[in-house]
Amino acid sequence: MESLQNKKERAVFATKFAAVATTVGSAVGLGNIWRFPYEAGIHGGGAFLICYMAFVFLIGVPVLCSEFIMGRQTRSNIFGAYRKLHPRRPWYLAGYIGILASLLILSFYSVVAGWTIEYFTSSFLGNLDFSDTATGHGQFMEMTTGWRPVIWTIIFLLCNFLILAGGVTKGIERVCNVLMPLLFVILIAFCINSFTMPKFQEGLSFLFRPDFSKITPSVLLGALGQAFFSLSLGLGCMMTYASYFSNNTRLGRTAVTTAMLDSLVAILAGVIIFPAVFSFGISPEAGPTLVFEVLPYIFNQLPGGAMWSSLFFLLLFLASLTSTVSMSEISITYFCEEKKMSRRKALTVSSLIALCGGLLCALSFGPLSTVKLGGMTFFDLFDYCSSNICLPAGGMICSVFTGWYIKRSIIQKQMTDHGKYRFRMIGLLVFCLRYVCPTAIFLIFLNSIGIL
Ligand code: PFF
């Protein structure tokens, strides 16, 4: 489908479906399928899930709406959006948090996405052997601990580069429109397969039966970080995407649809992973490697396992691409619009920065595993700083800004598509943005550093 161009030559998504598919494409990725199960695993399962869901809907959806409002109203990158809406105060400095977060995330995300390519190629060539736990673990360590992940990380970043070089609407729209529904179908099929696992019930009660005594400050911060990470919030990603929305994309509906689909995918991933974790006797607290150690056992048990495995890792790789494409867009639009670089140059600069960060993270499981800052490897540090600090901080600023400084008439205009639809919850939205979201985020921060 032809994409429309507006007068300023800024690209606009061609259809409403494309806008939703692309937004969901950014939100759904490794965050749901890789990060959610491992975070839930280390933070007590059900207790984590309940906090995560509460944060997605109480904080995530209002902040998502505020990013959408700012993005579409100004049709700019994160810096330009703050500047256009409040030229006299340096709110735009929040943009630096977004750029930093996007580059940190891109660095470690590319490493995990690199693992998906490695798993895809190995299963495709029939080399993935997870017939018993010892062989499986050995194989996983061999893949992730040496220099090999460096190569896959570079390959992944190259793919990201090529998609972005194809332009916003063409590259992203095409991939998302086909991919997202297919990934969803595959996940449902694997969920049904989970029912056949011997420890199916144990897995499900780990995920769905919350033990409230397990809700600690670190669980709250982890769940908040996961909610922001998974919804691609707090760094201007959704703001940048909304700047490409056409004028009849319904913002409220798009925000709620995105949050629902995104959480659904995370829950499906949990339903796939945890019964298998318990059935194969793996610890749910294995951390970032959890999903990559568990999934191959599931595939091994299925008839045509190599085929399923290849298909799944291929889709996961593509889902990661739609997410990295969106996070790269943040720094690219910044370099283009603020630093007046050509798009090609902006893309090259941000890819090179991500490459340096990616190398540090790729080596964190092997040669650099002993290099630790604050007790964390580069990989863990990048993840912690971006997800648990930058994103909630960026989200808090965006929420305060929209709640207090953007005129209600602008919020009204954006949420009703220039009066075309009714939106009855303006009061509630503004109340959440002014009071609920910033206070909740602030309290969780204080709580996690031990002040509360
Ligand atoms: N939301 C993506 C995921 O869950 O995999 C990750 C992500 C994409 C984070 C884009 C941040 C971002 F700007």
Side-chain angles (χ1 to χ4, degrees):
M1 192 153 321
E2 274 291 296
S3 295
L4 303 172
Q5 298 287 124
N6 72 4
K7 291 195 188 79
K8 287 178 223 137
E9 293 293 312
R10 221 162 187 282
V12 172
F13 290 127
T15 60
K16 276 191 209 175
F17 176 77
V20 175
T22 318
T23 311
V24 175
S26 163
V28 173
L30 291 171
N32 312 63
I33 294 163
W34 157 74
R35 201 173 184 281
F36 172 79
Y38 102 66
E39 284 281 326
I42 53 179
H43 288 126
F48 179 87
L49 178 65
I50 223 164
C51 300
Y52 166 72
M53 292 303 292
F55 293 151
V56 164
F57 288 97
L58 291 178
I59 303 179
V61 170
V63 175
L64 193 49
C65 289
S66 78
E67 287 209 17
F68 282 169
I69 292 169
M70 289 179 66
R72 196 171 60 176
Q73 171 69 22
T74 57
R75 301 231 173 261
S76 302
N77 68 79
I78 177 165
F79 284 83
Y82 278 110
R83 208 180 286 124
K84 280 187 188 166
L85 289 163
H86 204 314
R88 274 168 293 141
R89 290 270 161 79
W91 283 94
Y92 66 88
L93 293 177
Y96 288 111
I97 304 180
I99 305 271
L100 174 69
S102 71
L103 293 169
L104 288 175
I105 297 177
L106 190 55
S107 304
F108 71 83
Y109 206 90
S110 305
V111 175
V112 183
W115 295 348
T116 64
I117 315 182
E118 161 110 59
Y119 270 66
F120 163 68
T121 38
S122 310
S123 15
F124 191 72
L125 300 173
N127 297 336
L128 202 61
D129 177 11
F130 275 79
S131 41
D132 64 78
T133 15
T135 332
H137 184 69
Q139 199 158 294
F140 175 77
M141 296 308 275
E142 195 188 313
M143 282 180 194
T144 51
T145 51
W147 288 85
R148 254 158 72 183
V150 170
I151 300 173
W152 295 116
T153 306
I154 296 174
I155 294 179
F156 180 80
L157 282 169
L158 200 64
C159 299
N160 188 49
F161 181 94
L162 293 176
I163 292 228
L164 281 159
V168 182
T169 44
K170 276 183 275 147
I172 311 175
E173 266 180 45
R174 250 184 256 148
V175 179
C176 293
N177 288 354
V178 185
L179 170 76
M180 288 298 115
L182 185 58
L183 181 64
F184 205 67
V185 173
I186 297 272
L187 284 175
I188 303 240
F190 288 153
C191 259
I192 296 171
N193 174 60
S194 260
F195 285 84
T196 61
M197 295 278 162
K199 297 262 170 84
F200 174 67
Q201 281 202 333
E202 209 173 310
L204 281 204
S205 29
F206 177 78
L207 184 62
F208 291 116
R209 207 169 281 157
D211 172 355
F212 290 100
S213 67
K214 288 203 176 137
I215 301 184
T216 60
S218 92
V219 170
L220 288 172
L221 185 67
L224 182 71
Q226 176 61 23
F228 274 85
F229 186 90
S230 196
L231 289 173
S232 314
L233 270 188
L235 71 175
C237 173
M238 291 304 190
M239 211 182 279
T240 311
Y241 263 14
S243 74
Y244 302 124
F245 284 177
S246 75
N247 277 336
N248 51 22
T249 299
R250 296 181 67 169
L251 301 188
R253 197 176 267 190
T254 309
V256 174
T257 312
T258 306
M260 287 200 315
L261 288 175
D262 189 58
S263 324
L264 184 60
V265 174
I267 291 175
L268 290 180
V271 173
I272 296 171
I273 298 295
F274 288 111
V277 163
F278 287 98
S279 305
F280 297 116
I282 296 168
S283 161
E285 295 177 19
T289 58
L290 179 74
V291 170
F292 287 84
E293 297 220 36
V294 174
L295 279 172
Y297 293 115
I298 304 180
F299 300 132
N300 241 21
Q301 292 212 321
L302 293 174
M307 191 264 303
W308 285 110
S309 178
S310 321
L311 183 63
F312 183 80
F313 285 113
L314 178 67
L315 286 175
L316 196 51
F317 157 69
L318 293 174
S320 323
L321 264 181
T322 56
S323 298
T324 51
V325 155
S326 71
M327 67 185 94
S328 312
E329 220 27 76
I330 304 166
S331 45
I332 295 173
T333 44
Y334 164 71
F335 287 130
C336 285
E337 292 173 10
E338 302 292 315
K339 298 283 168 208
K340 307 292 171 228
M341 285 185 192
S342 68
R343 195 176 156 84
R344 182 57 65 115
K345 187 164 172 204
L347 173 56
T348 313
V349 172
S350 58
S351 303
L352 286 177
I353 301 176
L355 178 64
C356 298
L359 296 184
L360 291 177
C361 295
L363 295 172
S364 289
F365 293 87
L368 293 184
S369 60
T370 50
V371 182
K372 297 202 172 163
L373 295 169
M376 288 182 256
T377 60
F378 284 110
F379 184 98
D380 294 334
L381 187 72
F382 283 19
D383 186 353
Y384 186 87
C385 289
S386 52
S387 314
N388 292 4
I389 300 174
C390 296
L391 302 189
M396 186 163 87
I397 297 173
C398 180
S399 157
V400 169
F401 183 80
T402 312
W404 292 95
Y405 293 95
I406 298 187
K407 285 198 202 106
R408 213 177 246 243
S409 56
I410 292 183
I411 300 181
Q412 179 93 25
K413 185 178 89 183
Q414 287 301 338
M415 295 308 292
T416 58
D417 288 340
H418 298 258
K420 251 185 264 150
Y421 306 103
R422 268 200 295 180
F423 181 75
R424 292 213 195 86
M425 282 183 285
I426 293 273
L428 182 64
L429 177 64
V430 174
F431 180 77
C432 285
L433 292 174
R434 280 190 170 187
Y435 305 104
V436 181
C437 306
T439 318
I441 298 172
F442 192 62
L443 292 181
I444 293 168
F445 269 144
L446 289 188
N447 196 2
S448 68
I449 52 175
I451 292 184
L452 217 66

